[in-house]
Amino acid sequence: MDFTFVSGNPALDLAGTVLSRRGDPVDLLTRPSDLERWVAACDGLPDRVTADETALRSALSLREALYRLALDRVLDRPFDPGCLGIVNDTAAGPVPTIELSDTGLRMSGDLRAALSQLARSGIALLADPHACLKECGRPDCTRIYLDRSRGARRAWCGMEECGNRVKAAAYRARRRDAD
């Protein structure tokens, strides 16, 4: 399965690797190789990391902590202390190395550095009082995204997946009612 990066922040995109947390969730990161592919596909992270089962468990722990903290922010409730500890501890890890070359920016590091970068990205987002976080408006989607639209009117995590589904369902309902 291909990964979707529509949340506006890599930490939220990591949290979005569980599709529909209501009902029957689908986890896109079930094997270390899934995590390696996700990190390679995510902008702003080292692209050649290796993962084992222990690293996968660390990444999943970070993912769940980031999701819970983002949901706390969306629901305007205090941050969960255990999740804060996980994110803060992960952020204290090593940072990726960046290099400038003729072809652009290159980032290198191991998986711990990638997870540290994700935790830092999440901290910066969650600490920003002006960041408008929302949960997708499609009932089956639980992805949390950063709404940067004019007037904060964005209703779905992404138009391709969720927005089109909602609009198509509304169109079918109108057609059904017209008949």
Side-chain angles (χ1 to χ4, degrees):
M1 177 171 278
D2 289 333
F3 300 113
T4 304
F5 297 91
V6 296
S7 299
N9 180 282
L12 295 178
D13 286 325
L14 176 64
T17 59
V18 174
L19 306 179
S20 188
R21 290 173 181 266
R22 295 181 201 103
D24 192 18
V26 176
D27 191 342
L28 301 180
L29 302 178
T30 59
R31 299 183 313 266
S33 60
D34 296 334
L35 179 59
E36 291 170 357
R37 285 186 317 104
W38 186 87
V39 170
C42 184
D43 286 338
L45 296 178
D47 58 357
R48 293 186 189 106
V49 300
T50 58
D52 57 15
E53 288 295 329
T54 302
L56 177 62
R57 283 192 298 277
S58 294
L60 298 181
S61 176
L62 176 62
R63 175 186 70 187
E64 295 309 309
L66 287 166
Y67 177 77
R68 172 65 191 270
L69 295 175
L71 188 59
D72 287 346
R73 172 79 184 273
V74 168
L75 298 176
D76 196 28
R77 62 187 185 199
F79 287 139
D80 177 85
C83 293
L84 283 173
I86 291 169
V87 172
N88 288 331
D89 288 347
T90 305
V95 295
T97 302
I98 58 171
E99 298 172 346
L100 181 62
S101 71
D102 290 337
T103 59
L105 182 70
R106 179 172 157 13
M107 189 172 287
S108 60
D110 61 7
L111 185 62
R112 282 188 58 225
L115 295 179
S116 176
Q117 184 74 10
L118 286 163
R120 288 181 172 137
S121 178
I123 288 170
L125 175 68
L126 294 168
D128 181 352
H130 303 294
C132 181
L133 299 184
K134 293 182 178 179
E135 187 175 42
C136 183
R138 185 171 66 90
D140 294 338
C141 184
T142 56
R143 184 183 303 268
I144 296 173
Y145 64 93
L146 176 60
D147 184 357
R148 292 185 179 121
S149 67
R150 174 178 268 166
R153 293 183 183 183
R154 186 171 155 193
W156 308 291
C157 62
M159 191 60 195
E160 273 187 38
E161 191 172 328
C162 291
N164 283 340
R165 286 184 187 181
V166 170
K167 287 185 172 199
Y171 174 76
R172 286 191 300 274
R174 284 192 307 272
R175 296 275 305 194
R176 219 177 14 254
D177 291 345
D179 291 340

